[in-house]
Amino acid sequence: MEIGTRIAAAQLTGSARSKRQVVAGPLAGLLHESDTWFLSGMLAAEPGQQFDPDEIPWALDTIRRAFAAEGRWLSAELVEEASPGLAEALAANGMTIVSHLPLLVVEPADLVVPDLPDGVTVRVVASDGDQEVANMVSAAAYEMDDAGFAYKLDLVNGGAVLVSVDDVPAATAAWTAVADEVCEVAGVGTIHSHRRRGLGGIATAYATLKAFELGGATLAWLTPGDDGADRVYRRLGYAPKATAVHLGDPGAHLADLR
């Protein structure tokens, strides 16, 4: 299986464990119980399969209405190589392509785990209390009110690490549910006072390592938010293998769709 298709299929399978699916033709809406906007979204329902462009208008309308019914803003994340042309078809029906980003992947043998500087510790989030602290770090890093992540007892369903400096929580990173031995590493964040110390790279490396060791993944992937993050991830052994396309839906007015 082509690696982009493998990742897209695993993303769909893993997301479906904790989210309600609304499948319409080639599109799958995934609705999380939390209304934090980035926890819900739309994926390709048939990665690796050719889609029928004539199905896109009604399929997208179906997903839009499902999201609007719960007051959710619709966004989409696609792997371009797994669904060629789907992003453009969605754009032709009112969605906006926000970004094309390199999709970086790493396998266990290629992962580079940095040494920990003096005073820096890393621990796996192991309780609701730990998760609350990690969420506070994420919220501060991304300037949000709430990160919205929940602690998972079974780390196959996802997990996180917390990086502290002299016992002060300073950075975090998470991995998503492992499906077909694939997971995404996401939510990498460092509080402003501790940036430019390499803590984001440490958090990323250890989240990846623990996804391999504790979650059973054999392939991890992520998308860099900017060129600086891209360089950090590549130093950890991540390499570009596909393209992630992110879309938003500014044209859909919730009141009109309900």
Side-chain angles (χ1 to χ4, degrees):
M1 182 184 293
E2 188 268 330
I3 194 166
T5 299
R6 181 186 174 194
I7 289 169
Q11 185 182 21
L12 180 62
T13 301
S15 295
R17 290 184 193 163
S18 59
K19 303 172 187 179
R20 288 175 287 117
Q21 287 193 80
V22 179
V23 178
L27 305 177
L30 284 304
L31 285 160
H32 195 278
E33 62 182 11
S34 168
D35 61 4
T36 302
W37 74 267
F38 58 82
L39 295 179
S40 298
M42 185 169 68
L43 304 173
E46 301 171 331
Q49 301 296 317
Q50 188 171 7
F51 68 95
D52 181 353
D54 291 339
E55 291 190 322
I56 296 299
W58 73 262
L60 181 55
D61 182 66
T62 300
I63 303 296
R64 279 172 166 159
R65 291 180 181 279
F67 274 61
E70 301 193 26
R72 309 294 179 82
W73 179 69
L74 178 62
S75 63
E77 183 174 350
L78 306 174
V79 179
E80 190 168 78
E81 291 77 4
S83 303
L86 183 54
E88 290 73 19
L90 292 172
N93 284 272
M95 295 195 76
T96 298
I97 296 176
V98 177
S99 62
H100 286 82
L101 297 173
L103 196 156
L104 310 181
V105 308
V106 69
E107 296 178 280
D110 298 321
L111 179 65
V112 177
V113 180
D115 293 332
L116 296 181
D118 291 342
V120 175
T121 58
V122 182
R123 73 176 188 269
V124 175
V125 167
S127 67
D128 290 330
D130 283 350
Q131 186 67 64
E132 184 176 351
V133 175
N135 285 354
M136 290 174 60
V137 171
S138 289
Y142 287 98
E143 299 180 348
M144 302 184 301
D145 293 332
D146 181 21
F149 297 112
Y151 167 62
K152 309 291 197 312
L153 181 62
D154 185 350
L155 297 180
V156 172
N157 291 323
V161 297
L162 189 60
V163 180
S164 297
V165 180
D166 297 326
D167 297 324
V168 175
T172 187
W175 68 92
T176 63
V178 179
D180 301 325
E181 300 183 351
V182 177
C183 73
E184 179 184 8
V185 172
V188 181
T190 304
I191 60 176
H192 290 267
S193 61
H194 286 68
R195 290 182 175 174
R196 301 189 181 282
R197 302 189 191 183
L199 300 180
I202 289 171
T204 302
Y206 275 86
T208 306
L209 178 65
K210 296 308 176 183
F212 292 153
E213 291 181 344
L214 305 177
T218 59
L219 181 73
W221 65 275
L222 49 70
T223 52
D226 54 41
D227 290 342
D230 186 282
R231 289 191 292 270
V232 169
Y233 299 148
R234 294 191 193 213
R235 287 198 293 269
L236 301 176
Y238 279 88
K241 297 293 183 181
T243 307
V245 187
H246 295 159
L247 301 96
D249 198 24
H253 299 285
L254 299 182
D256 295 337
L257 293 170
R258 287 175 177 165

